[in-house]
Amino acid sequence: MKERISQKKLFVVLFLLLGLSVQIQSLAQKGNMKVRLEEVLSIGSLDDDALFQWVSVKADLDGHIYVTDSMDYSLKKFSSFGKLLKKTGRKGQGPGEFLAPRLLDSTKEHLYVTDQSVPGIQVFDKNLDFQCRIPIPLPVVDFKILSDNEFALATFSPNEKGAILVFDSKGKAIRQIQYTDNVSSPMMDLVSFDFDSDRNLYIAYTFQDKIEKFNREGKKEWSLSLLKVKQQSRKRISRFILPTKVVYKDVTLDNSQKLYVLGGSFSKKKSQDVYVISPEGGLLATFTLPEPSHCIYIDSRNFLYSRANEGITLKKYRMQHVYN
Amino acid sequence: MKRDKSLKFRFCLAITIVFLLWFFRTGLDADIKVPKTVNLFVREKNQTPIPEFKSSNKLILFIIDFDDFMCLSCIDSFVNFYHSLPFPVIKESAWGILTYDGTKWKDDKPKGIKVIEKKLRGFVRANSIRLPILIDHPHVFSSLAAKGTSIVLLNGDRGFLREYVFPLNEFQKDEIIKTLVE
Amino acid sequence: MIKKRKSKIALVLAVFALFFCLHSAKLEAAKCEEAFFRCINDPFVGTNLAGPLYCGVGYVFCKKYIE
């Protein structure tokens, strides 16, 4: 009888210890910082015609907001108050036309827009006037402007190791930053990426649970696996075998070089959880967007932009970092 | 006796699981089959003639799947084909039905309807579509859109219905236009 | 006896429910796969060597946007 009671006590103590260790672990995983979002601007509503299916967003130093809209084949410019200032583009493959406008990036003077169906990158000025097209023979999965003369892009590389390719303003490949050591399925090596001001590269794999940092010399500094994804589901379609669940959807950096990674299907709140990571590779915080989004973007003033209403609305938030 | 009963139960459960696996057999590695042109209805010779329609005896119904707004090649094929149709056909004999997945906005249906209406508005305007398009809120045509955006061609003269799924090949395009203009 | 029967019925119902849930989740995700299939079988895309690559980009975009 006495033995039974002491066994029970032992069991209870062990159970409590286990529960406590899990709590401590989860706290460590969540980080010691909280991020609160305060909505400051909403562009596009269910009743107006400002945005139909926006894809990519960029803000300039004057607070103007530029957006690609795939539904009406356009590039749009909004004021810092959300008023539509100008719209350009129509369906087509000619200069200033789009079949499927997608990614957008900018320098001080120019905007750069990719098209899913048309090779190349179109260049516009800040008045949305077409300037030129940079010929790129590869499909673009993600891209970033590094300077007026250089841009980097992620693409499919069948039978080659995963690499970020760097091009000059004429579309000539000048170097590459290799991020995988082996040749594997091109889909599995797809990444979203960003560069910080020191040209350190941060990548988040689209179909693998990996977030990595490479220094400007191309050496890997750290690699993270936040979601403990053990297996990716795949589907055979004709002669291709495709992964079916997105792990990480997008990455962006804030002005203090913290990395924000938008989770996909394996996150607790799918397409809403955002992981905040320090430059040293530590998880600082996890916060949740109010609605699922396909991308996140942080401008130079640390405002965060994400999607709402299935792409009809663009939301801008002020981020408040609260340290425990 | 008890053992026998327990074995019987386990056996039934195993059969049920196998049946369910077979029923949902389009598993992770299964190929997606190409949807074929389907003859939905062909009149037999000895059946009574169909009463005459008031206007044209032909009707082309575009069944547009809302999710195809994300699929360029599917929706592009529809837009290109629409613009290749003779204007009288578009004016007199063509309708559009926009179908959507009713479970998607089950928590907020009014919002879902507004999202659909807005996206349709943008799509129609950007592609200069002058077709009357109705949104299939009662989900009457959902089964037709199960394979994606498609055409249902009704020919009262010859007495048949045919379904074609986008993207169309050249043969299918010629066949549809020939049926409409003859 | 009744308890045993109830637990057996509950187990069978749970198995059914599991299969139905799995199937509906699979149906929703299949839209992008279907779109990819139709893209690579599009006669215009099929003649282009880089066609499947552009279909792949479309697939990734669809997955990110819809899911």
Side-chain angles (χ1 to χ4, degrees), chain A residues 44-53 71-73 91 99-100 102 116-117 233-238 291 309-312, chain B residues 26-32 66 69-70 72 75-76 79-80 104-105 110-111 114-116 118-123 125-127:
Chain A
S45 73
L46 296 171
D47 300 308
D48 67 24
D49 289 344
L51 292 170
F52 294 100
Q53 194 161 282
M71 190 63 92
D72 65 357
Y73 313 100
K91 190 175 179 182
L99 290 180
R102 292 286 184 255
Q116 182 184 307
S117 298
S233 59
R234 288 164 216 246
K235 193 166 189 121
R236 176 187 290 282
I237 298 167
S238 285
E291 285 192 52
N309 291 329
E310 312 260 339
I312 284 170
Chain B
T26 51
L28 288 171
D29 293 327
D31 283 356
I32 296 176
F66 178 76
F69 286 153
M70 293 303 310
L72 275 182
I75 213 69
D76 245 9
V79 171
N80 293 337
K104 209 171 169 185
W105 292 289
K111 177 182 164 182
K114 284 205 158 185
V115 167
I116 293 166
K118 177 157 177 184
K119 294 214 179 192
L120 177 61
R121 205 162 59 236
F123 172 75
R125 202 179 292 170
N127 292 284

Short mmCIF file of all heavy atoms in Angstrom, two decimals, chain A residues 44-53 71-73 91 99-100 102 116-117 233-238 291 309-312, chain B residues 26-32 66 69-70 72 75-76 79-80 104-105 110-111 114-116 118-123 125-127:
data_model
loop_
_atom_site.label_atom_id
_atom_site.label_comp_id
_atom_site.label_asym_id
_atom_site.label_seq_id
_atom_site.Cartn_x
_atom_site.Cartn_y
_atom_site.Cartn_z
N GLY A 44 -7.83 49.40 -50.61
CA GLY A 44 -8.68 48.45 -51.31
C GLY A 44 -9.71 47.86 -50.37
O GLY A 44 -9.39 47.34 -49.30
N SER A 45 -10.97 47.94 -50.78
CA SER A 45 -12.02 47.33 -49.96
C SER A 45 -12.90 46.48 -50.87
O SER A 45 -12.69 46.43 -52.08
CB SER A 45 -12.86 48.42 -49.28
OG SER A 45 -13.70 49.03 -50.24
N LEU A 46 -13.90 45.85 -50.27
CA LEU A 46 -14.78 44.97 -51.04
C LEU A 46 -15.67 45.76 -51.99
O LEU A 46 -16.25 45.19 -52.92
CB LEU A 46 -15.64 44.13 -50.08
CG LEU A 46 -14.86 43.16 -49.20
CD1 LEU A 46 -15.75 42.56 -48.14
CD2 LEU A 46 -14.22 42.07 -50.02
N ASP A 47 -15.80 47.05 -51.74
CA ASP A 47 -16.74 47.83 -52.55
C ASP A 47 -16.08 48.73 -53.59
O ASP A 47 -16.74 49.18 -54.52
CB ASP A 47 -17.62 48.71 -51.63
CG ASP A 47 -18.40 47.86 -50.66
OD1 ASP A 47 -19.08 46.93 -51.13
OD2 ASP A 47 -18.32 48.09 -49.44
N ASP A 48 -14.77 49.02 -53.42
CA ASP A 48 -14.16 49.91 -54.40
C ASP A 48 -13.40 49.11 -55.46
O ASP A 48 -13.44 47.88 -55.46
CB ASP A 48 -13.24 50.93 -53.71
CG ASP A 48 -12.01 50.28 -53.08
OD1 ASP A 48 -11.59 49.19 -53.52
OD2 ASP A 48 -11.45 50.87 -52.13
N ASP A 49 -12.71 49.80 -56.33
CA ASP A 49 -11.97 49.13 -57.41
C ASP A 49 -10.48 49.45 -57.35
O ASP A 49 -9.81 49.52 -58.37
CB ASP A 49 -12.55 49.54 -58.78
CG ASP A 49 -13.92 48.93 -59.01
OD1 ASP A 49 -14.27 47.98 -58.29
OD2 ASP A 49 -14.64 49.39 -59.90
N ALA A 50 -9.97 49.69 -56.14
CA ALA A 50 -8.56 50.06 -56.02
C ALA A 50 -7.65 48.87 -56.34
O ALA A 50 -6.71 48.98 -57.11
CB ALA A 50 -8.28 50.59 -54.62
N LEU A 51 -7.94 47.74 -55.70
CA LEU A 51 -7.12 46.55 -55.90
C LEU A 51 -8.03 45.35 -56.11
O LEU A 51 -9.08 45.25 -55.47
CB LEU A 51 -6.24 46.29 -54.67
CG LEU A 51 -5.12 47.29 -54.37
CD1 LEU A 51 -4.52 47.00 -53.00
CD2 LEU A 51 -4.04 47.22 -55.43
N PHE A 52 -7.60 44.43 -56.99
CA PHE A 52 -8.39 43.22 -57.23
C PHE A 52 -7.68 41.96 -56.76
O PHE A 52 -8.26 41.11 -56.12
CB PHE A 52 -8.71 43.11 -58.73
CG PHE A 52 -9.61 44.20 -59.22
CD1 PHE A 52 -9.10 45.30 -59.89
CD2 PHE A 52 -10.97 44.14 -59.00
CE1 PHE A 52 -9.93 46.31 -60.33
CE2 PHE A 52 -11.82 45.16 -59.44
CZ PHE A 52 -11.29 46.25 -60.11
N GLN A 53 -6.42 41.85 -57.10
CA GLN A 53 -5.66 40.67 -56.68
C GLN A 53 -4.20 41.09 -56.64
O GLN A 53 -3.41 40.73 -57.51
CB GLN A 53 -5.88 39.53 -57.68
CG GLN A 53 -5.43 38.18 -57.19
CD GLN A 53 -6.07 37.03 -57.96
OE1 GLN A 53 -7.21 36.66 -57.75
NE2 GLN A 53 -5.34 36.46 -58.89
N MET A 71 -4.96 40.84 -61.44
CA MET A 71 -6.29 40.69 -62.03
C MET A 71 -6.52 41.68 -63.16
O MET A 71 -7.16 41.34 -64.16
CB MET A 71 -7.36 40.87 -60.94
CG MET A 71 -8.76 40.50 -61.38
SD MET A 71 -8.94 38.77 -61.82
CE MET A 71 -9.43 38.08 -60.28
N ASP A 72 -6.03 42.89 -63.00
CA ASP A 72 -6.21 43.87 -64.09
C ASP A 72 -4.88 44.25 -64.75
O ASP A 72 -4.77 45.31 -65.35
CB ASP A 72 -6.99 45.11 -63.61
CG ASP A 72 -6.25 45.92 -62.56
OD1 ASP A 72 -5.15 45.50 -62.14
OD2 ASP A 72 -6.76 46.98 -62.16
N TYR A 73 -3.91 43.35 -64.65
CA TYR A 73 -2.65 43.46 -65.41
C TYR A 73 -2.00 44.83 -65.23
O TYR A 73 -1.62 45.50 -66.20
CB TYR A 73 -2.92 43.23 -66.92
CG TYR A 73 -3.79 42.02 -67.21
CD1 TYR A 73 -5.14 42.16 -67.48
CD2 TYR A 73 -3.25 40.73 -67.19
CE1 TYR A 73 -5.94 41.06 -67.72
CE2 TYR A 73 -4.06 39.63 -67.44
CZ TYR A 73 -5.39 39.80 -67.70
OH TYR A 73 -6.19 38.70 -67.94
N LYS A 91 -3.30 44.24 -70.53
CA LYS A 91 -2.93 42.87 -70.91
C LYS A 91 -2.15 42.89 -72.22
O LYS A 91 -2.57 43.47 -73.21
CB LYS A 91 -4.19 42.03 -71.07
CG LYS A 91 -3.89 40.56 -71.23
CD LYS A 91 -5.14 39.75 -71.27
CE LYS A 91 -4.80 38.29 -71.46
NZ LYS A 91 -5.98 37.44 -71.56
N LEU A 99 1.16 40.12 -68.79
CA LEU A 99 0.25 38.97 -68.83
C LEU A 99 -0.03 38.49 -67.40
O LEU A 99 -1.12 38.01 -67.10
CB LEU A 99 0.86 37.82 -69.64
CG LEU A 99 0.95 38.05 -71.15
CD1 LEU A 99 1.56 36.83 -71.85
CD2 LEU A 99 -0.43 38.34 -71.75
N ALA A 100 0.98 38.60 -66.55
CA ALA A 100 0.83 38.17 -65.16
C ALA A 100 1.85 38.92 -64.30
O ALA A 100 2.88 38.36 -63.95
CB ALA A 100 1.04 36.67 -65.04
N ARG A 102 4.01 40.18 -61.44
CA ARG A 102 4.26 39.51 -60.18
C ARG A 102 5.14 40.34 -59.26
O ARG A 102 4.70 41.24 -58.62
CB ARG A 102 4.93 38.13 -60.45
CG ARG A 102 4.02 37.13 -61.11
CD ARG A 102 3.00 36.59 -60.17
NE ARG A 102 2.18 35.55 -60.76
CZ ARG A 102 0.91 35.72 -61.15
NH1 ARG A 102 0.33 36.89 -61.02
NH2 ARG A 102 0.23 34.71 -61.66
N GLN A 116 5.11 36.59 -64.77
CA GLN A 116 5.22 35.14 -64.71
C GLN A 116 5.31 34.52 -66.09
O GLN A 116 5.97 33.50 -66.27
CB GLN A 116 3.99 34.57 -63.98
CG GLN A 116 4.03 33.06 -63.80
CD GLN A 116 2.75 32.55 -63.17
OE1 GLN A 116 2.34 33.03 -62.13
NE2 GLN A 116 2.14 31.57 -63.79
N SER A 117 4.64 35.13 -67.07
CA SER A 117 4.55 34.51 -68.39
C SER A 117 5.50 35.10 -69.42
O SER A 117 5.63 34.55 -70.51
CB SER A 117 3.13 34.66 -68.92
OG SER A 117 2.24 33.99 -68.07
N SER A 233 4.98 16.18 -48.21
CA SER A 233 4.14 15.35 -49.07
C SER A 233 4.38 15.74 -50.53
O SER A 233 4.65 16.90 -50.84
CB SER A 233 2.67 15.54 -48.71
OG SER A 233 2.31 16.89 -48.85
N ARG A 234 4.31 14.75 -51.40
CA ARG A 234 4.54 15.00 -52.82
C ARG A 234 3.44 14.39 -53.66
O ARG A 234 2.75 13.47 -53.22
CB ARG A 234 5.87 14.37 -53.25
CG ARG A 234 7.10 15.07 -52.72
CD ARG A 234 8.32 14.18 -52.85
NE ARG A 234 9.20 14.38 -51.73
CZ ARG A 234 10.41 14.91 -51.84
NH1 ARG A 234 10.87 15.27 -53.00
NH2 ARG A 234 11.18 15.07 -50.77
N LYS A 235 3.32 14.90 -54.90
CA LYS A 235 2.31 14.39 -55.80
C LYS A 235 2.93 14.24 -57.19
O LYS A 235 3.66 15.11 -57.65
CB LYS A 235 1.14 15.36 -55.85
CG LYS A 235 -0.09 14.78 -56.50
CD LYS A 235 -1.31 15.64 -56.22
CE LYS A 235 -2.55 14.93 -56.70
NZ LYS A 235 -3.53 14.67 -55.68
N ARG A 236 2.58 13.14 -57.86
CA ARG A 236 3.08 12.93 -59.21
C ARG A 236 2.10 13.57 -60.18
O ARG A 236 0.91 13.28 -60.17
CB ARG A 236 3.23 11.45 -59.52
CG ARG A 236 3.66 11.16 -60.95
CD ARG A 236 3.62 9.67 -61.26
NE ARG A 236 4.67 8.97 -60.54
CZ ARG A 236 5.95 8.96 -60.89
NH1 ARG A 236 6.36 9.62 -61.96
NH2 ARG A 236 6.82 8.29 -60.19
N ILE A 237 2.62 14.43 -61.03
CA ILE A 237 1.78 15.04 -62.07
C ILE A 237 2.52 14.85 -63.38
O ILE A 237 3.57 15.47 -63.60
CB ILE A 237 1.52 16.53 -61.77
CG1 ILE A 237 0.76 16.65 -60.46
CG2 ILE A 237 0.71 17.17 -62.90
CD1 ILE A 237 0.70 18.05 -59.89
N SER A 238 1.97 13.98 -64.23
CA SER A 238 2.66 13.56 -65.45
C SER A 238 4.04 13.02 -65.07
O SER A 238 4.15 12.15 -64.23
CB SER A 238 2.81 14.72 -66.43
OG SER A 238 1.58 14.97 -67.04
N GLU A 291 -4.82 38.09 -41.03
CA GLU A 291 -5.40 37.27 -42.09
C GLU A 291 -4.28 36.55 -42.84
O GLU A 291 -3.14 37.03 -42.87
CB GLU A 291 -6.20 38.14 -43.08
CG GLU A 291 -7.54 38.59 -42.53
CD GLU A 291 -8.42 39.20 -43.62
OE1 GLU A 291 -8.62 38.54 -44.67
OE2 GLU A 291 -8.91 40.32 -43.42
N ASN A 309 -8.49 40.04 -47.20
CA ASN A 309 -9.62 39.86 -48.13
C ASN A 309 -9.21 39.20 -49.44
O ASN A 309 -9.60 39.64 -50.52
CB ASN A 309 -10.30 41.21 -48.43
CG ASN A 309 -11.03 41.76 -47.23
OD1 ASN A 309 -11.54 41.00 -46.40
ND2 ASN A 309 -11.08 43.07 -47.11
N GLU A 310 -8.40 38.14 -49.33
CA GLU A 310 -8.03 37.35 -50.50
C GLU A 310 -7.33 38.16 -51.58
O GLU A 310 -7.44 37.87 -52.76
CB GLU A 310 -9.29 36.70 -51.13
CG GLU A 310 -10.20 36.00 -50.17
CD GLU A 310 -10.03 34.50 -50.15
OE1 GLU A 310 -9.51 33.95 -51.12
OE2 GLU A 310 -10.41 33.89 -49.14
N GLY A 311 -6.60 39.19 -51.20
CA GLY A 311 -5.83 39.96 -52.17
C GLY A 311 -6.51 41.22 -52.65
O GLY A 311 -5.95 41.96 -53.45
N ILE A 312 -7.70 41.49 -52.13
CA ILE A 312 -8.41 42.71 -52.50
C ILE A 312 -7.90 43.89 -51.68
O ILE A 312 -7.99 45.05 -52.09
CB ILE A 312 -9.93 42.50 -52.28
CG1 ILE A 312 -10.49 41.63 -53.41
CG2 ILE A 312 -10.69 43.81 -52.19
CD1 ILE A 312 -11.90 41.17 -53.19
N THR B 26 -7.53 8.08 -55.15
CA THR B 26 -6.65 9.07 -55.76
C THR B 26 -5.70 9.55 -54.68
O THR B 26 -5.86 10.60 -54.12
CB THR B 26 -7.46 10.25 -56.32
OG1 THR B 26 -8.34 10.71 -55.29
CG2 THR B 26 -8.25 9.81 -57.52
N GLY B 27 -4.65 8.78 -54.46
CA GLY B 27 -3.70 9.06 -53.39
C GLY B 27 -2.62 10.02 -53.84
O GLY B 27 -2.67 10.62 -54.90
N LEU B 28 -1.54 10.16 -53.05
CA LEU B 28 -0.52 11.16 -53.28
C LEU B 28 0.23 10.93 -54.57
O LEU B 28 0.72 11.85 -55.18
CB LEU B 28 0.47 11.18 -52.12
CG LEU B 28 -0.07 11.76 -50.83
CD1 LEU B 28 0.90 11.55 -49.71
CD2 LEU B 28 -0.36 13.24 -50.98
N ASP B 29 0.37 9.68 -54.97
CA ASP B 29 1.15 9.42 -56.17
C ASP B 29 0.32 9.21 -57.41
O ASP B 29 0.84 8.85 -58.45
CB ASP B 29 2.04 8.17 -55.96
CG ASP B 29 3.10 8.47 -54.91
OD1 ASP B 29 3.55 9.61 -54.84
OD2 ASP B 29 3.44 7.54 -54.16
N ALA B 30 -0.96 9.41 -57.29
CA ALA B 30 -1.81 9.12 -58.46
C ALA B 30 -1.66 10.23 -59.49
O ALA B 30 -1.51 11.38 -59.16
CB ALA B 30 -3.26 9.02 -58.02
N ASP B 31 -1.73 9.86 -60.75
CA ASP B 31 -1.72 10.85 -61.83
C ASP B 31 -3.05 11.55 -61.89
O ASP B 31 -4.09 10.97 -61.60
CB ASP B 31 -1.50 10.15 -63.17
CG ASP B 31 -0.06 9.76 -63.36
OD1 ASP B 31 0.75 10.09 -62.50
OD2 ASP B 31 0.22 9.10 -64.35
N ILE B 32 -3.06 12.79 -62.32
CA ILE B 32 -4.31 13.48 -62.59
C ILE B 32 -4.64 13.18 -64.04
O ILE B 32 -3.80 13.38 -64.93
CB ILE B 32 -4.16 15.00 -62.38
CG1 ILE B 32 -3.87 15.26 -60.90
CG2 ILE B 32 -5.42 15.72 -62.79
CD1 ILE B 32 -3.63 16.71 -60.60
N PHE B 66 -14.10 29.89 -60.30
CA PHE B 66 -13.49 31.04 -59.62
C PHE B 66 -12.02 30.79 -59.30
O PHE B 66 -11.18 31.69 -59.44
CB PHE B 66 -14.28 31.33 -58.34
CG PHE B 66 -13.72 32.47 -57.53
CD1 PHE B 66 -13.92 33.78 -57.92
CD2 PHE B 66 -13.00 32.23 -56.36
CE1 PHE B 66 -13.40 34.84 -57.17
CE2 PHE B 66 -12.50 33.29 -55.61
CZ PHE B 66 -12.70 34.58 -56.02
N PHE B 69 -9.05 31.78 -61.62
CA PHE B 69 -8.43 33.10 -61.72
C PHE B 69 -6.96 33.02 -61.31
O PHE B 69 -6.18 33.91 -61.59
CB PHE B 69 -9.18 34.11 -60.84
CG PHE B 69 -10.51 34.54 -61.40
CD1 PHE B 69 -11.53 34.97 -60.55
CD2 PHE B 69 -10.77 34.52 -62.75
CE1 PHE B 69 -12.76 35.37 -61.06
CE2 PHE B 69 -12.00 34.91 -63.27
CZ PHE B 69 -13.00 35.34 -62.41
N MET B 70 -6.61 31.95 -60.61
CA MET B 70 -5.22 31.75 -60.23
C MET B 70 -4.45 30.95 -61.28
O MET B 70 -3.25 30.83 -61.21
CB MET B 70 -5.14 30.95 -58.92
CG MET B 70 -5.67 31.68 -57.72
SD MET B 70 -4.82 33.21 -57.47
CE MET B 70 -3.14 32.67 -57.56
N LEU B 72 -3.32 30.73 -64.88
CA LEU B 72 -3.21 31.56 -66.08
C LEU B 72 -3.61 30.84 -67.35
O LEU B 72 -4.35 31.35 -68.16
CB LEU B 72 -1.77 32.04 -66.24
CG LEU B 72 -1.41 33.30 -65.48
CD1 LEU B 72 0.03 33.63 -65.79
CD2 LEU B 72 -2.33 34.42 -65.86
N ILE B 75 -7.48 30.22 -67.60
CA ILE B 75 -8.34 31.37 -67.80
C ILE B 75 -7.95 32.12 -69.08
O ILE B 75 -8.80 32.71 -69.76
CB ILE B 75 -8.35 32.29 -66.55
CG1 ILE B 75 -9.70 32.96 -66.38
CG2 ILE B 75 -7.25 33.30 -66.55
CD1 ILE B 75 -10.81 32.06 -66.02
N ASP B 76 -6.69 32.07 -69.44
CA ASP B 76 -6.23 32.72 -70.67
C ASP B 76 -6.83 32.04 -71.89
O ASP B 76 -7.23 32.70 -72.84
CB ASP B 76 -4.69 32.63 -70.76
CG ASP B 76 -4.07 34.00 -70.67
OD1 ASP B 76 -4.80 34.96 -70.38
OD2 ASP B 76 -2.87 34.11 -70.91
N VAL B 79 -10.32 33.26 -72.21
CA VAL B 79 -10.40 34.64 -72.71
C VAL B 79 -10.09 34.68 -74.20
O VAL B 79 -10.79 35.33 -74.98
CB VAL B 79 -9.44 35.57 -71.92
CG1 VAL B 79 -9.36 36.94 -72.55
CG2 VAL B 79 -9.89 35.69 -70.47
N ASN B 80 -9.03 33.99 -74.60
CA ASN B 80 -8.66 33.98 -76.02
C ASN B 80 -9.75 33.36 -76.88
O ASN B 80 -10.06 33.87 -77.96
CB ASN B 80 -7.34 33.23 -76.22
CG ASN B 80 -6.16 33.96 -75.59
OD1 ASN B 80 -6.21 35.17 -75.39
ND2 ASN B 80 -5.12 33.23 -75.25
N LYS B 104 -15.74 27.52 -48.87
CA LYS B 104 -14.60 28.40 -48.60
C LYS B 104 -14.95 29.54 -47.64
O LYS B 104 -14.19 29.91 -46.78
CB LYS B 104 -14.12 28.98 -49.92
CG LYS B 104 -12.65 29.30 -49.96
CD LYS B 104 -12.23 29.66 -51.37
CE LYS B 104 -10.84 30.24 -51.35
NZ LYS B 104 -10.41 30.72 -52.65
N TRP B 105 -16.11 30.11 -47.80
CA TRP B 105 -16.49 31.25 -46.96
C TRP B 105 -17.70 30.92 -46.10
O TRP B 105 -18.57 31.75 -45.89
CB TRP B 105 -16.81 32.46 -47.84
CG TRP B 105 -15.63 33.03 -48.55
CD1 TRP B 105 -14.60 33.72 -47.99
CD2 TRP B 105 -15.33 32.91 -49.93
NE1 TRP B 105 -13.67 34.06 -48.96
CE2 TRP B 105 -14.09 33.59 -50.15
CE3 TRP B 105 -15.96 32.33 -51.02
CZ2 TRP B 105 -13.49 33.67 -51.40
CZ3 TRP B 105 -15.37 32.42 -52.27
CH2 TRP B 105 -14.15 33.08 -52.45
N PRO B 110 -21.55 36.55 -46.72
CA PRO B 110 -21.69 37.87 -47.37
C PRO B 110 -20.35 38.45 -47.82
O PRO B 110 -20.24 39.01 -48.91
CB PRO B 110 -22.32 38.75 -46.28
CG PRO B 110 -22.99 37.79 -45.38
CD PRO B 110 -22.18 36.54 -45.40
N LYS B 111 -19.31 38.25 -47.01
CA LYS B 111 -17.99 38.76 -47.39
C LYS B 111 -17.48 37.99 -48.60
O LYS B 111 -16.94 38.58 -49.55
CB LYS B 111 -17.02 38.60 -46.21
CG LYS B 111 -15.59 39.03 -46.54
CD LYS B 111 -14.68 38.81 -45.35
CE LYS B 111 -13.23 38.87 -45.78
NZ LYS B 111 -12.29 38.62 -44.70
N LYS B 114 -19.01 39.19 -51.76
CA LYS B 114 -18.45 40.48 -52.19
C LYS B 114 -17.06 40.29 -52.82
O LYS B 114 -16.72 40.96 -53.80
CB LYS B 114 -18.34 41.43 -51.00
CG LYS B 114 -19.68 42.01 -50.60
CD LYS B 114 -19.52 43.33 -49.89
CE LYS B 114 -20.80 44.12 -49.98
NZ LYS B 114 -20.71 45.45 -49.41
N VAL B 115 -16.27 39.36 -52.25
CA VAL B 115 -14.95 39.08 -52.82
C VAL B 115 -15.10 38.57 -54.25
O VAL B 115 -14.42 39.02 -55.17
CB VAL B 115 -14.18 38.05 -51.95
CG1 VAL B 115 -12.97 37.50 -52.66
CG2 VAL B 115 -13.77 38.67 -50.61
N ILE B 116 -16.01 37.64 -54.42
CA ILE B 116 -16.22 37.05 -55.75
C ILE B 116 -16.71 38.10 -56.74
O ILE B 116 -16.21 38.19 -57.87
CB ILE B 116 -17.24 35.90 -55.66
CG1 ILE B 116 -16.65 34.74 -54.86
CG2 ILE B 116 -17.64 35.40 -57.04
CD1 ILE B 116 -17.69 33.73 -54.43
N LYS B 118 -16.31 41.28 -56.67
CA LYS B 118 -15.27 42.25 -56.99
C LYS B 118 -14.24 41.67 -57.95
O LYS B 118 -13.84 42.33 -58.91
CB LYS B 118 -14.59 42.72 -55.69
CG LYS B 118 -13.45 43.66 -56.01
CD LYS B 118 -13.09 44.56 -54.90
CE LYS B 118 -11.89 45.40 -55.33
NZ LYS B 118 -11.38 46.26 -54.30
N LYS B 119 -13.83 40.45 -57.69
CA LYS B 119 -12.82 39.84 -58.58
C LYS B 119 -13.40 39.63 -59.98
O LYS B 119 -12.69 39.81 -60.98
CB LYS B 119 -12.32 38.52 -57.99
CG LYS B 119 -11.54 38.75 -56.71
CD LYS B 119 -10.41 37.78 -56.51
CE LYS B 119 -9.69 38.10 -55.22
NZ LYS B 119 -8.44 37.45 -55.05
N LEU B 120 -14.66 39.28 -60.04
CA LEU B 120 -15.29 39.10 -61.35
C LEU B 120 -15.34 40.43 -62.10
O LEU B 120 -15.06 40.51 -63.29
CB LEU B 120 -16.71 38.55 -61.16
CG LEU B 120 -17.53 38.37 -62.44
CD1 LEU B 120 -16.86 37.38 -63.38
CD2 LEU B 120 -18.94 37.92 -62.13
N ARG B 121 -15.65 41.48 -61.35
CA ARG B 121 -15.71 42.83 -61.94
C ARG B 121 -14.36 43.19 -62.55
O ARG B 121 -14.26 43.68 -63.67
CB ARG B 121 -16.08 43.82 -60.83
CG ARG B 121 -16.74 45.07 -61.30
CD ARG B 121 -17.47 45.80 -60.17
NE ARG B 121 -16.65 46.19 -59.08
CZ ARG B 121 -16.89 45.84 -57.80
NH1 ARG B 121 -17.91 45.05 -57.52
NH2 ARG B 121 -16.11 46.25 -56.82
N GLY B 122 -13.30 42.95 -61.78
CA GLY B 122 -11.95 43.26 -62.26
C GLY B 122 -11.58 42.44 -63.48
O GLY B 122 -11.03 42.95 -64.45
N PHE B 123 -11.92 41.17 -63.44
CA PHE B 123 -11.59 40.26 -64.53
C PHE B 123 -12.31 40.66 -65.82
O PHE B 123 -11.72 40.74 -66.89
CB PHE B 123 -11.95 38.83 -64.13
CG PHE B 123 -11.84 37.84 -65.23
CD1 PHE B 123 -10.59 37.39 -65.65
CD2 PHE B 123 -12.96 37.34 -65.86
CE1 PHE B 123 -10.48 36.48 -66.69
CE2 PHE B 123 -12.85 36.42 -66.89
CZ PHE B 123 -11.61 36.00 -67.31
N ARG B 125 -13.63 43.52 -66.65
CA ARG B 125 -13.20 44.83 -67.15
C ARG B 125 -11.84 44.72 -67.83
O ARG B 125 -11.63 45.24 -68.92
CB ARG B 125 -13.10 45.81 -65.97
CG ARG B 125 -13.19 47.25 -66.38
CD ARG B 125 -13.10 48.14 -65.20
NE ARG B 125 -14.27 48.03 -64.33
CZ ARG B 125 -14.35 48.56 -63.12
NH1 ARG B 125 -13.34 49.23 -62.62
NH2 ARG B 125 -15.43 48.43 -62.39
N ALA B 126 -10.92 44.01 -67.18
CA ALA B 126 -9.55 43.94 -67.70
C ALA B 126 -9.48 43.14 -69.00
O ALA B 126 -8.59 43.37 -69.81
CB ALA B 126 -8.64 43.31 -66.66
N ASN B 127 -10.40 42.21 -69.19
CA ASN B 127 -10.37 41.37 -70.38
C ASN B 127 -11.45 41.71 -71.41
O ASN B 127 -11.64 40.97 -72.37
CB ASN B 127 -10.50 39.89 -69.97
CG ASN B 127 -9.28 39.41 -69.22
OD1 ASN B 127 -8.24 39.16 -69.83
ND2 ASN B 127 -9.37 39.32 -67.90
#
